[in-house]
Amino acid sequence: MPVMRPDEASAEPPGWETIEELFAALESPLLGYALRYTREPGLAEDVVQEAFMKLHAQFETVQKPRQWLYRTVHNLALNQRRAAGKTVSLNAPNDEEGSTAETADTALPPDEQIIRLEGIGLVRISLAALDERSRELVRLKFHDDLSYRDIAARLNLSTSNVGFILHRALKTIAAELAKTGVVP
């Protein structure tokens, strides 16, 4: 089945009255579309799931849901690519010798390296303030790079529950970092 692009049809096909019908018809094509940008099946699944969750939240106001979904998947996938380039491992090193080797960016001047390492340390402290389950979900998502679906299967949770817990955990971390002045 060929993958259709959002600009190939100007009007919505008849019969797409519910989000379930849209999901059944567009999940596979959207996964293929997202995969072109993310190049990772797990990330593509996350992007498509997030797009459908956003559509669900505003389904009544979206005029052309098919085009809206493709645009949203496109934007989310590009955001994923940008974020992937900025991700830094937050795992504490096991030995004294490699303590700064994996987090130091040798292209940065020494004072900026120190600021970066302090920021990473503050994030580690913020992670420690989370409950065990939230920490585990953050670890599985950002360290093990698992999709919401994989995390849900591993921890016997629903994918929406995984999303909710991660969202709450990230808001908590952001609030802790805001207290220290790392983020506004």
Side-chain angles (χ1 to χ4, degrees):
M1 173 186 251
V3 175
M4 294 181 65
R5 294 183 26 194
D7 57 346
E8 292 177 350
S10 60
E12 296 297 326
W16 288 1
E17 297 176 10
T18 67
I19 197 161
E20 290 83 9
E21 291 170 338
L22 275 167
F23 185 79
L26 295 177
E27 179 191 23
S28 292
L30 284 169
L31 282 171
Y33 187 65
L35 191 56
R36 286 189 235 161
Y37 293 99
T38 63
R39 295 185 180 95
E40 292 182 37
L43 286 177
E45 289 173 2
D46 288 346
V47 164
V48 171
Q49 178 183 358
E50 186 175 348
F52 273 103
M53 289 172 62
K54 287 178 180 269
L55 177 63
H56 185 274
Q58 49 188 314
F59 189 66
E60 297 301 319
T61 61
V62 174
Q63 296 293 318
K64 296 180 179 180
R66 182 178 182 278
Q67 290 176 335
W68 186 95
L69 279 166
Y70 273 93
R71 175 53 53 197
T72 302
V73 165
H74 174 85
N75 291 339
L76 291 171
L78 290 179
N79 289 344
Q80 278 281 8
R81 281 176 63 177
R82 278 187 218 109
K86 297 177 185 177
T87 303
V88 175
S89 174
L90 297 176
N91 288 335
N94 292 334
D95 61 4
E96 291 286 324
E97 298 173 315
S99 63
T100 59
E102 68 179 66
T103 55
D105 184 351
T106 56
L108 294 174
D111 58 335
E112 289 183 28
Q113 287 182 25
I114 291 170
I115 292 169
R116 180 182 172 111
L117 291 172
E118 285 175 349
I120 292 169
L122 291 170
V123 170
R124 287 182 179 148
I125 291 168
S126 298
L127 282 169
L130 295 174
D131 62 275
E132 182 61 35
R133 183 171 71 166
S134 296
R135 263 195 318 273
E136 177 70 4
L137 265 73
V138 169
R139 184 187 66 75
L140 290 171
K141 179 65 184 158
F142 296 104
H143 180 265
D144 295 352
D145 199 27
L146 296 180
S147 68
Y148 283 20
R149 188 179 300 166
D150 293 338
I151 295 170
R154 186 176 285 189
L155 300 179
N156 199 23
L157 298 168
S158 68
T159 53
S160 60
N161 198 7
V162 168
F164 175 78
I165 294 168
L166 279 172
H167 175 76
R168 195 177 65 211
L170 294 176
K171 282 184 76 166
T172 301
I173 291 170
E176 289 295 317
L177 292 175
K179 287 179 189 175
T180 62
V182 173
V183 293

